[in-house]
Amino acid sequence: MRQRIVAGNWKMNTTLEEGLQLAGDVAKDYIKNRPGDIELIMAPPFTHISELVKATAGSGVKYAAQNCASEKEGAYTGEVSVAMIRTTGATYVIIGHSERRTLFGEKDETLFKKVRLALEESLVPIFCCGELLEEREAGNHFEVVKKQLDNTLFRLDEVDFRKVIIAYEPVWAIGTGKTATPEQAQEMQAAIRKMIAERYDEETANDIPILYGGSCKASNAAEIFAQPDVDGGLIGGASLMADEFMSIARSF
Ligand code: PEP
């Protein structure tokens, strides 16, 4: 069975103090209620990760960075390398979030470099893909996602590809309160699995976790997670409230 995963992307929210409180509340709940067999991941700002890892040690909660540099090291002021992320205790890194693509102009070639560096550093990439509203309205959404994957993850060999997690995040659903219907999420995620089978093989396609992201919350998570090709969620806004986030984690 594929690993079920709930990951919270805090984006540029929380002071360190607030982050310690939030991560502490999540970890406490996770220890007490252990929602069956899921990997629980939090992606706080870079500046918090080390402290939060220490504060929640032994809880089983895992950490992700929200981004990484596309170069290994050197004169790149303000950037954070995969090696630096590794030393914080994070074991995952989100790559290609739509906010990075649209607000910071990150292109597929850059994202591919980040994926390769992350894998070299033994970080698991949580790779985001998804179409814009106009692309869906024009009926191009499958093509758009296929191109995003062809240009990045599908350039990996099978051994490396098997180490990644995919997050399907329709851009029109991120932070908008407008969730994809469970059928829309299922349709795209089944299509992604088919693309993987065509590029690699059925077994690989069946083993890769594919998360849904986009205005997922406690009130809609259960019906989205019930879809056969949805293996969990990448949660933005709703991951900033421990109770809400943990209700989502219990929605399988
Ligand atoms: C995200 O940022 O990955 C996300 C899914 O955000 P939200 O849940 O707030 O739509």
Side-chain angles (χ1 to χ4, degrees):
M1 201 175 96
R2 286 187 294 272
Q3 176 69 57
R4 299 186 298 183
I5 299 163
V6 172
N9 173 15
W10 294 10
K11 312 195 188 196
M12 198 175 73
N13 291 298
T14 72
T15 61
L16 178 55
E17 245 176 17
E18 291 162 347
L20 282 164
Q21 180 72 48
L22 175 54
D25 290 346
V26 166
K28 244 182 266 158
D29 186 316
Y30 187 63
I31 291 167
K32 194 164 147 223
N33 300 311
R34 282 268 168 221
D37 206 17
I38 67 153
E39 183 90 320
L40 193 73
I41 305 170
M42 289 188 278
F46 287 129
T47 48
H48 302 8
I49 303 175
S50 299
E51 288 294 320
L52 271 47
V53 167
K54 270 186 248 154
T56 59
S59 67
V61 171
K62 302 282 170 44
Y63 286 89
Q66 297 174 17
N67 182 29
C68 64
S70 58
E71 302 296 332
K72 211 174 168 109
E73 62 183 343
Y76 301 100
T77 302
E79 289 293 275
V80 178
S81 74
V82 285
M84 294 168 191
I85 292 168
R86 158 59 69 195
T87 58
T88 64
T91 45
Y92 295 84
V93 56
I94 299 172
I95 295 177
H97 190 279
S98 71
E99 285 150 20
R100 300 299 316 172
R101 292 177 191 259
T102 55
L103 303 175
F104 299 96
E106 293 188 5
K107 300 276 181 279
D108 290 343
E109 198 52 41
T110 304
L111 301 179
F112 180 58
K113 283 167 80 179
K114 293 184 182 204
V115 167
R116 276 224 301 234
L117 286 170
L119 290 170
E120 277 170 27
E121 201 62 40
S122 300
L123 294 170
V124 176
I126 302 175
F127 187 85
C128 303
C129 57
E131 78 285 356
L132 302 170
L133 183 59
E134 54 269 35
E135 292 166 335
R136 177 163 280 267
E137 284 173 348
N140 294 334
H141 42 300
F142 296 111
E143 216 175 288
V144 166
V145 169
K146 168 95 169 36
K147 193 158 170 241
Q148 289 172 344
L149 295 174
D150 277 342
N151 289 343
T152 55
L153 296 187
F154 288 176
R155 290 164 67 187
L156 297 172
D157 65 23
E158 187 177 323
V159 173
D160 277 342
F161 180 77
R162 279 180 158 275
K163 297 173 184 159
V164 308
I165 295 168
I166 295 176
Y168 167 57
E169 299 210 305
V171 181
W172 46 272
I174 296 178
T176 57
K178 205 173 164 188
T179 323
T181 63
E183 294 72 26
Q184 285 171 320
Q186 168 57 25
E187 186 186 33
M188 178 59 86
Q189 301 198 189
I192 292 173
R193 221 174 280 292
K194 190 156 172 272
M195 292 171 206
I196 299 171
E198 281 163 7
R199 165 64 182 88
Y200 300 94
D201 51 46
E202 288 285 344
E203 205 189 328
T204 305
N206 283 331
D207 288 348
I208 297 290
I210 307 180
L211 314 183
Y212 167 79
S215 299
C216 189
K217 34 192 184 288
S219 58
N220 60 23
E223 48 175 1
I224 297 173
F225 293 175
Q227 301 304 309
D229 286 292
V230 178
D231 303 309
L234 180 54
I235 318 297
S239 70
L240 294 170
M241 295 160 283
D243 286 352
E244 178 81 9
F245 185 55
M246 293 311 290
S247 298
I248 295 171
R250 282 189 281 274
S251 296
F252 287 99

